[in-house]
């Protein structure tokens, strides 16, 4: 679990929606950059974190505890500390006094105060004595004092907002060293900056905000600066499906454990399409298998998914990657394939109602435009694209809440592929949540509201199309190999 | 176009009827005794036991398994029923218990296949040996004779002019046909035999259905046991030896695919009839029993070849 988790944060100023349901998470021992153009929502998000602003919606969790929002004192008490451009220091008090500012006891034991300050300053190798009044220090040194102050107050999350704006290059370098030292001590650090070279130099991961929404969260190693700029200001990808916005509530809460994965929990809203990207063996295919009860331990809204049968009962259905080996019984008629998962509902006392079964097959042949229009033909005699539609028909006939799709267009021609995309969008509009695991990045960008990129069994990056170019996503998926 | 009508489904559905028709035609030309009502009824009586076993076998083969234990199971069920009846139990209850034992042992084998994941061939081969041994222990290797009236009725009685064994066979045929053609469980058998992985991913309760298949085969063995015991008026400890192979032969000649997922109750019934008619005809024509075995083998291979050619198209 992440050290800090902000979920679905919303904030409106008059008619302007500054934050439209932003998720943001920081791990312990991580420098996490927060970037975006002016007005993207960075500062608003951080003000909510610091308690200076109360959000209109959303939650903030720190080490698994939910925070009371809108209170600066509460945020401070929980160890969330801001280091702003305008520093929070008292110029005519000494460094030592500033380090304990706001926490000074009624009767100050000066000796202890100065001893503790000296130890801390030496530990951080800051090179000035605790007796100096802060006002005589240079700006860069004052920033370092502010950091030391945060540390002496047992900060767990440290937010730097344009902290180097007023610093010289040498002072900035000194600050970077200090920040890295703090990261190594296990603090979570949020670094807001317009200077991208700084972000690349310092941060481990970056989250890009744009128009009050999160565009992406991804690791910085190997990323080109142009790619990051593109995420911040680039054009909308062309050719994207006209996807409905997911319905707000109630979401499905999904939990995934086992299968060689780092435990994963996330919410999926009705009609939302989540893409899983990653190279083969990255763990993305295990996710859908776990959620269909094939391995590991999956849960939907807290209910266990221990077998396909149980998953189907809870409204989950998997369209497997290999339609011939896993999706269809090729020797049986198309009709018998479509009805197989719902045979019980079509039966009275164990006897299948032939008329209801035939009607079901006709209905789905029509809805999906399956050719040739003869449900009595063995499934194996249909073309690849139509076989895939048969598998979809079978899945949709169960009226799932959550549709899992593994490589939904593998070995399918271009025309049928477009049809399948349109169908999935239609079903999203009907409120069916979908998870698409695919090796085809272009497909995911076309189809998904959100994309998780997997590497070695964990999510390393998250993208929110449409403002992500294929190159950027493909790059992150690709570096997942290394 | 004649050729257009020779589609695989057409041939598969009616090919067996044609084959049986031609066989009957040839035999009726060769022997004046063949096409008499009494002989035809005799054939039906003769095939009844094999047909019942073959119908049970078909259910197991359909789901992608095999049951080699039916011959031994038949002997054990017959011996149990006879022994209990001799011991003074009500004959009907004794019969019920005989069938019950066969079903229970079918379930046991099914559990080993479905839940322990053992190969059906091995499990039922073990059953074939062990159940025969149980029969020999139970009977001490001696036939059980002097059975009460209800047994004799099952073997030799008639209802409305129809021999009871034939009646039993036809009822079991209808039951199996109904199961396979109209019920969800029947469909599941086809699904599992056709593609077990796809069936599982479709929410088919694979393991329970597998257990059911072996239980159904056990039921067939128990039913056949009562008919045979009645016909012989005794329970023989060596009864049913090799019957499993005849049952498999009937199913295969009837178009059941040993790979699973394909076959019908009617097909198996016709398969059993074809083998029965062939045996009967060769007996009438005084063909030596040795040559009869060869002929049976050739017919089985021919049936498979024709089937293969038709499917390949």
């Amino acid at each position: 679990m992440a050290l800090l988790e902000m979920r679905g944060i919303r904030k409106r100023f008059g008619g302007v929606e500054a934050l439209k349901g932003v998720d943001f998470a920081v791990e312990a021992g991580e420098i996490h950059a927060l970037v975006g153009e002016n007005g993207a929502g960075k500062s608003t998000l951080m003000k909510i974190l610091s308690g200076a602003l109360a959000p209109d919606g959303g939650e903030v969790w720190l080490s698994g505890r939910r925070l009371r929002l809108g209170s600066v004192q509460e945020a401070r008490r929980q160890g969330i500390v801001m280091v702003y451009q305008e520093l929070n220091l008292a110029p005519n008090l000494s460094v030592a006094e500033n380090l304990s500012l706001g926490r000074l006891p009624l009767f100050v034991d000066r000796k202890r105060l100065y001893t503790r300050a000296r130890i801390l300053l030496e530990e951080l190798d800051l090179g000035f004595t605790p007796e100096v009044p802060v006002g005589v220090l240079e700006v860069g040194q004052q920033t370092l004092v502010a950091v030391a102050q945060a540390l002496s107050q047992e900060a767990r999350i440290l937010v730097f907002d344009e902290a180097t704006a007023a610093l010289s290059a040498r002072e900035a370098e000194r600050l970077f060293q200090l920040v890295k030292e703090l990261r190594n001590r296990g603090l979570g650090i949020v670094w807001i900056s317009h200077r991208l070279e700084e972000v690349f130099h310092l941060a481990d991961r970056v989250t890009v905000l744009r128009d009050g929404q999160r565009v992406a969260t991804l690791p910085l190693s190997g990323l080109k600066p142009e790619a990051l700029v593109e995420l911040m200001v680039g054009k909308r990808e062309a050719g994207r499906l006209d996807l409905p916005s997911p319905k707000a509530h109630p979401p499905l809460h999904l939990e995934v454990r086992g299968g060689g994965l780092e435990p994963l929990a996330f919410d999926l809203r009705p009609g939302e399409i989540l893409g899983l990207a990653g190279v083969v063996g990255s763990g993305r295919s295990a996710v859908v298998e776990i959620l269909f009860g094939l391995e590991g331990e999956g849960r939907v809204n807290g209910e266990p998914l221990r077998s396909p049968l149980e998953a189907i009962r809870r409204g989950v259905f998997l369209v497997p990657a290999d339609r011939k080996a896993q999706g269809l019984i090729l020797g049986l008629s198309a009709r018998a394939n479509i009805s197989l998962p719902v045979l019980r509902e079509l039966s009275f006392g164990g006897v299948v109602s032939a008329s209801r079964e035939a009607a079901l097959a006709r209905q789905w042949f029509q809805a999906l435009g399956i050719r040739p229009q003869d449900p009595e033909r063995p499934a194996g005699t249909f073309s690849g694209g139509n076989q895939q539609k048969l598998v979809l028909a079978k899945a949709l006939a169960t009226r799932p809440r959550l549709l899992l799709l593994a490589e939904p267009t593998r070995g399918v021609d271009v025309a049928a592929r477009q049809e399948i995309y349109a169908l999935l969008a239609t079903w999203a509009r009907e409120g069916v949540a979908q998870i698409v695991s695919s090796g085809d990045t272009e497909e995911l960008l076309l189809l998904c509201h959100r994309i998780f990129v997997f590497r070695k069994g964990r999510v390393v990056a998250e993208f929110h199309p449409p403002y992500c170019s294929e190159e950027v996503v493909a790059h992150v998926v690709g570096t997942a190999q290394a | 176009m004649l050729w257009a009508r020779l589609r695989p489904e057409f041939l598969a559905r009616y090919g067996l009827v044609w084959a049986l028709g031609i066989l009957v035609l040839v035999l009726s030309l060769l022997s004046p005794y063949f096409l008499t009502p009494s002989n035809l009824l005799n054939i039906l009586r003769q095939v009844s036991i094999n047909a019942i076993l073959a119908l049970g076998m078909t259910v197991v083969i359909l789901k992608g398994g095999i049951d080699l234990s039916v011959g031994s199971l038949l002997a054990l069920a017959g011996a149990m029923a006879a022994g209990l009846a001799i011991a003074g139990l009500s004959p009907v209850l004794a019969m019920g218990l005989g069938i019950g034992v066969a079903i229970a042992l079918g379930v046991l084998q099914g559990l080993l296949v479905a839940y322990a994941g053992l190969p059906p061939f091995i499990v039922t081969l073990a059953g074939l040996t062990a159940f025969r041994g149980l029969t020999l222990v139970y009977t001490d290797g001696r036939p059980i004779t002097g059975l009460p009236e209800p047994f004799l009725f099952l073997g030799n009685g008639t209802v409305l002019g129809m021999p009871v064994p034939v009646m039993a066979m036809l009822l079991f045929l209808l039951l199996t046909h109904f199961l396979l053609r109209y019920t969800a469980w029947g469909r599941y058998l086809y699904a599992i035999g056709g593609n077990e992985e796809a069936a599982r991913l479709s929410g088919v309760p694979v393991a329970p259905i597998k257990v059911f298949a072996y239980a159904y085969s056990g039921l067939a063995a128990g039913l056949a046991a009562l008919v045979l015991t009645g016909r012989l008026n005794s329970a023989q400890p060596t009864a049913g030896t090799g019957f499993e192979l005849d049952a498999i032969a009937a199913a295969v000649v009837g178009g059941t695919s040993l790979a699973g997922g394909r076959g019908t109750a009617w097909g198996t019934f016709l398969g059993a009839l074809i083998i029965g008619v062939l045996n009967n005809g060769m007996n009438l024509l005084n063909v030596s029993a040795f040559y009869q075995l060869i002929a049976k083998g050739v017919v089985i291979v021919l049936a498979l070849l024709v089937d293969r050619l038709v499917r390949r198209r």
Side-chain angles (χ1 to χ4, degrees):
Chain A
M1 191 197 305
L3 174 63
L4 169 73
E5 263 189 77
M6 304 182 76
R7 297 186 195 150
I9 304 294
R10 300 178 175 279
K11 183 66 187 175
R12 174 184 285 277
F13 297 113
V16 183
E17 241 187 325
L19 294 175
K20 304 168 183 168
V22 171
D23 294 340
F24 180 65
V26 179
E27 307 278 344
E30 165 184 60
I31 301 176
H32 196 131
L34 186 61
V35 301
E37 292 184 287
N38 286 328
K42 301 171 305 219
S43 300
T44 309
L45 189 66
M46 288 304 108
K47 278 180 186 154
I48 287 169
L49 179 62
S50 72
L53 272 177
D56 298 333
E59 303 169 357
V60 178
W61 294 70
L62 192 63
S63 303
R65 279 189 54 198
R66 191 172 169 180
L67 294 191
R68 195 160 49 82
L69 298 178
S71 156
V72 178
Q73 281 79 16
E74 164 79 357
R76 277 303 277 252
R77 210 170 14 249
Q78 296 301 329
I80 296 171
V81 176
M82 306 285 142
V83 181
Y84 287 117
Q85 269 166 276
E86 311 81 29
L87 295 166
N88 189 16
L89 297 172
N92 41 11
L93 292 187
S94 70
V95 169
E97 283 161 334
N98 266 290
L99 289 184
S100 307
L101 202 64
R103 291 188 160 197
L104 284 175
L106 194 53
F107 300 102
V108 183
D109 177 350
R110 289 185 57 86
K111 208 174 158 193
R112 253 189 80 199
L113 191 71
Y114 280 86
T115 311
R116 275 185 51 199
R118 188 168 293 110
I119 291 171
L120 184 65
L121 292 176
E122 272 170 18
E123 212 178 287
L124 296 177
D125 195 16
L126 289 188
F128 41 81
T129 52
E131 291 82 7
V132 201
V134 164
V136 308
L137 294 174
E138 292 167 36
V139 185
Q141 289 177 317
Q142 288 185 1
T143 308
L144 298 179
V145 172
V147 176
Q149 180 190 51
L151 208 60
S152 76
Q153 295 174 5
E154 281 154 19
R156 287 190 285 174
I157 294 285
L158 212 45
V159 180
F160 291 87
D161 192 349
E162 302 294 351
T164 58
L167 302 191
S168 70
R170 269 192 57 205
E171 288 169 338
E173 193 49 48
R174 186 71 196 84
L175 179 62
F176 295 160
Q177 279 171 16
L178 185 57
V179 167
K180 284 177 181 169
E181 166 67 20
L182 298 183
R183 167 186 61 191
N184 297 341
R185 290 180 174 211
L187 270 72
I189 290 160
V190 181
W191 189 267
I192 299 177
S193 176
H194 280 116
R195 301 180 176 176
L196 290 191
E197 63 273 27
E198 200 173 289
V199 165
F200 275 92
H201 176 67
L202 195 60
D204 304 302
R205 289 199 298 167
V206 61
T207 288
V208 183
L209 290 185
R210 176 167 179 156
D211 300 334
Q213 285 174 303
R214 177 165 63 150
V215 176
T217 296
L218 65 165
L220 280 160
S221 62
L223 193 71
K224 288 201 185 88
E226 306 88 75
L228 188 55
V229 172
E230 172 133 17
L231 285 174
M232 290 161 64
V233 303
K235 283 200 204 68
R236 197 185 149 93
E237 271 292 282
R240 196 175 140 77
L241 277 185
D242 181 23
L243 284 179
S245 356
K247 301 182 172 40
H249 54 266
L252 296 173
H253 184 64
L254 303 174
E255 291 165 71
V256 176
R257 288 171 175 280
L261 296 179
E262 192 170 274
L264 179 67
F266 55 96
D267 283 354
L268 204 58
R269 288 169 294 174
E272 182 172 7
I273 304 180
L274 170 68
L276 306 181
V279 295
V280 173
S282 59
R284 68 176 158 85
S285 39
V287 173
V288 291
E289 281 169 12
I290 290 168
L291 286 174
F292 196 52
L294 291 170
E295 61 168 318
E297 211 182 302
R299 282 172 184 275
V300 55
N301 291 343
E303 295 169 323
L305 305 163
R306 284 167 300 208
S307 69
L309 193 57
E310 196 167 46
I312 293 169
R313 287 214 184 104
R314 306 214 189 285
V316 180
F317 202 91
L318 168 69
V319 174
D322 188 339
R323 63 177 162 269
K324 283 184 197 290
Q326 306 170 299
L328 293 172
I329 293 153
L330 298 174
L332 281 189
S333 68
R335 162 184 53 79
N337 271 284
I338 292 174
S339 67
L340 194 57
V342 293
L343 216 48
R344 255 177 236 91
E345 296 160 43
L346 299 174
S347 305
F348 301 96
V351 179
V352 182
S353 160
S355 58
R356 289 183 60 190
E357 191 190 7
L360 180 84
R362 268 199 311 276
Q363 175 199 336
W364 286 106
F365 261 67
Q366 225 145 51
L368 304 194
I370 300 170
R371 297 279 179 279
Q373 233 175 347
D374 178 7
E376 294 308 313
R377 281 170 63 127
T381 64
F382 287 82
S383 71
N386 281 295
Q387 282 187 12
Q388 188 65 357
K389 285 193 202 168
L390 283 178
V391 183
L392 278 176
K394 179 171 116 171
L396 293 169
T398 66
R399 294 183 303 277
R401 288 189 292 173
L402 171 60
L403 193 56
L404 309 167
L405 301 118
E407 311 292 349
T409 61
R410 181 188 278 172
V412 163
D413 69 53
V414 181
R417 183 177 292 224
Q418 292 307 324
E419 277 184 80
I420 288 171
Y421 293 155
L423 279 170
L424 296 183
T426 306
W427 286 96
R429 208 162 285 127
E430 300 282 325
V432 180
Q434 299 168 39
I435 298 181
V436 181
S437 165
S438 174
D440 183 345
T441 308
E442 193 185 343
E443 171 168 298
L444 294 178
L445 279 168
L446 203 69
L447 201 58
C448 300
H449 295 96
R450 251 199 303 174
I451 298 172
F452 285 170
V453 180
F454 277 81
R455 175 196 307 185
K456 292 176 185 158
R458 54 186 289 255
V459 178
V460 293
E462 186 175 339
F463 290 96
H464 293 240
Y467 298 109
C468 321
S469 77
E470 194 191 336
E471 288 86 0
V472 179
V473 180
H475 170 78
V476 174
V477 172
T479 52
Q481 229 157 1
Chain B
M1 295 284 279
L2 179 66
W3 183 243
R5 299 198 54 189
L6 289 179
R7 287 172 309 160
E9 312 90 76
F10 182 82
L11 277 179
R13 185 167 299 172
Y14 300 109
L16 287 170
V17 181
W18 287 114
L20 186 60
I22 291 166
L23 200 57
V24 166
L25 190 71
V26 170
L27 287 174
S28 56
L29 291 177
L30 289 176
S31 163
Y33 303 107
F34 181 77
L35 208 57
T36 59
S38 68
N39 187 51
L40 293 183
L41 212 54
N42 191 33
I43 293 175
L44 285 178
R45 201 187 291 121
Q46 280 168 351
V47 302
S48 61
I49 287 167
N50 185 32
I52 290 171
L53 290 177
L55 287 165
M57 183 70 72
T58 300
V59 167
V60 176
I61 293 178
L62 268 181
K63 76 96 196 151
I66 193 90
D67 187 353
L68 300 178
S69 73
V70 289
S72 302
L73 214 45
L74 178 150
L76 182 61
M80 294 282 292
L84 290 171
I86 295 286
L89 212 62
S90 123
V92 175
L93 188 59
M95 290 177 183
L97 282 174
I99 290 184
V101 165
I103 293 177
L105 291 174
V107 167
L108 175 68
Q109 297 185 100
L111 291 173
L112 288 171
V113 169
Y115 290 96
L118 302 180
F121 189 93
I122 305 300
V123 168
T124 58
L125 185 62
L128 178 148
T129 312
F131 303 155
R132 179 68 63 192
L134 273 177
T135 313
L136 290 167
V137 169
Y138 182 75
T139 60
D140 204 12
R142 285 188 289 266
I144 300 171
T145 52
L147 302 178
E149 175 55 31
F151 279 91
L152 307 183
F153 173 76
L154 261 187
N156 302 305
T158 58
V159 172
L160 304 171
M162 187 180 281
V164 173
V166 176
M167 192 77 109
M169 168 181 73
L170 292 180
L171 286 177
F172 198 62
L173 167 65
L174 290 180
L175 178 70
T176 310
H177 175 68
F178 180 77
L179 167 75
L180 295 182
R181 180 74 182 73
Y182 296 106
T183 69
W185 285 28
R187 185 72 59 76
Y188 290 158
L189 288 164
Y190 285 99
I192 294 168
N195 185 342
E196 186 172 331
E197 174 73 357
R200 194 165 66 101
L201 296 184
S202 301
V204 171
V206 173
I209 296 293
K210 282 186 175 179
V211 174
F212 164 74
Y214 291 94
Y216 195 81
S217 183
L219 167 67
L223 197 60
L226 298 185
V227 171
L228 184 65
T229 308
R231 290 246 295 161
L232 301 177
N233 192 14
S234 68
Q236 303 285 340
T238 55
T241 306
F243 279 20
E244 60 282 343
L245 298 181
D246 287 339
I248 294 169
V252 167
V253 169
T256 308
S257 162
L258 279 180
R262 196 157 53 76
T264 61
W266 283 102
T268 294
F269 176 62
L270 287 173
L273 272 187
I274 287 173
I275 291 175
V277 165
L278 202 66
N279 281 337
N280 175 268
M282 289 191 291
N283 277 335
L284 288 179
L285 298 173
N286 284 320
V287 176
S288 129
F290 300 166
Y291 285 100
Q292 286 193 23
L293 288 177
I294 299 173
K296 210 152 91 182
V298 170
V299 165
I300 293 170
V301 172
L302 271 180
L304 279 175
L305 276 179
V306 169
D307 189 56
R308 178 64 54 88
L309 283 175
V310 166
R311 302 270 158 200
R312 186 181 294 165
R313 183 159 32 160

